Each structure stands twice: as C-alpha cells, then as structure tokens.
Amino acid sequence: MVELDQRRLMVVKNLLNELEFYTNDVVEEANRGGLCIEINGWHLYPVFQFDENMELHGQLKKRLDDLRTGRNDVDVLYWLFAEKTVLMTKAVAPYHLIEKALGSGDLKAHDELVSAEARQSEYLTARPIDLLGKDEFDVFVDDWKLGDYRMIPRKEVKDISGW
C-alpha cells in the first residue's frame, strides 16, 4: 500500500510540474465541476480544460462522468496525458474464406487470413488530451470505460494473396 501511495504522489507531482492551473479565484462556481486536484485546501483546475470564455470544453464536460466512474480526478488526468494505442477499425476476413481454409486443412492459408486481418486493422496511438475536440476522443474514452464490450467498426479484409 505504501508503494501505491508513493507512485500516486509521483503522479501528482509530475502533473503539478507539467500542467498550468487556475485556482478558485479564477474559476467561476459554475465551472468548478471540472477536473481538479486538491492540495491542502487549494483547488487546482488544469487550464487545458477551459476555453477562451473560461467554460469547460464541451466534449470533456460531456464525458467527465464516464471518465470519473470508479476513478478520481488524478487518475483521469494521468489517463488523459498517457499515450495509448486503440483499435479504431477491425479488419475481418470473409467467413467463406476462413471456412474454406479450415475445411481443407490449409493452415498456411488460415494463417495468411489472420495476418491480413492484423495488417489491415486500423490503430491510433495518441494521448487522449491531444484528441480533445475530435471524434477519436470519444473512441478512446469508450475503449477505456467499455474495454472488450466496445463496439468496434469492422471492415472486410482486402487483397488477400492467392484468394
């Protein structure tokens, strides 16, 4: 437990060093529902979440409840700034080709289909914060919150050699 507390302290320290913050003096009451780090009674609101009118970024505001479910604001901030890779579109070989390869016992053909699926699937590597304001931000949130239950768009594998 001590090790976990020390790692958490390091995360907070790094966030404090890397981010700019507003205090309650600057953030109006209506926007204090945004991400916040509280230290010794001070409420620190990361600047990136506010627009030029000091309003919370709409997309972030819309997804805050999802992001906070089961986590606190430090966890959410860490997640926002950590680079990750998300499957955006899964390539799937046509069923009849898989059935043909397996039915004939042609494991080499089956392996080629599996390899083609992997090569043609689309991934995005980014920090979620860099996607704020784009549709991909919501995909990253859904991937984090829904995991294996996320609906991933599919496309058919194309240009399979020898088929």
Side-chain angles (χ1 to χ4, degrees), residues 21-144:
F21 294 91
Y22 293 133
T23 63
N24 279 344
D25 299 339
V26 178
V27 178
E28 293 182 16
E29 186 76 33
N31 289 309
R32 291 186 186 160
L35 295 168
C36 178
I37 296 177
E38 184 179 345
I39 299 176
N40 295 330
W42 287 86
H43 293 88
L44 305 173
Y45 301 90
V47 170
F48 74 83
Q49 66 187 328
F50 298 99
D51 64 18
E52 62 278 350
N53 299 318
M54 287 299 294
E55 299 285 327
L56 287 173
H57 187 285
Q59 190 177 31
L60 181 62
K61 185 177 182 178
K62 182 179 88 175
R63 298 307 303 258
L64 268 176
D65 286 341
D66 290 335
L67 290 169
R68 286 176 165 152
T69 301
R71 294 172 173 84
N72 66 28
D73 285 5
V74 171
D75 296 331
V76 173
L77 285 165
Y78 179 77
W79 178 82
L80 284 168
F81 285 89
E83 186 175 87
K84 53 199 54 46
T85 300
V86 170
L87 176 61
M88 302 300 285
T89 305
K90 179 170 179 52
V92 180
Y95 176 76
H96 72 279
L97 294 180
I98 294 172
E99 185 177 52
K100 178 181 172 185
L102 292 176
S104 67
D106 188 350
L107 296 181
K108 184 176 179 183
H110 181 264
D111 287 348
E112 175 56 33
L113 290 169
V114 171
S115 294
E117 287 179 335
R119 280 191 314 273
Q120 294 179 31
S121 292
E122 297 171 16
Y123 295 86
L124 178 60
T125 300
R127 298 180 324 160
I129 193 64
D130 296 332
L131 302 173
L132 197 57
K134 300 175 183 170
D135 292 340
E136 290 88 350
F137 179 80
D138 290 322
V139 174
F140 272 58
V141 173
D142 290 342
D143 186 73
W144 189 40

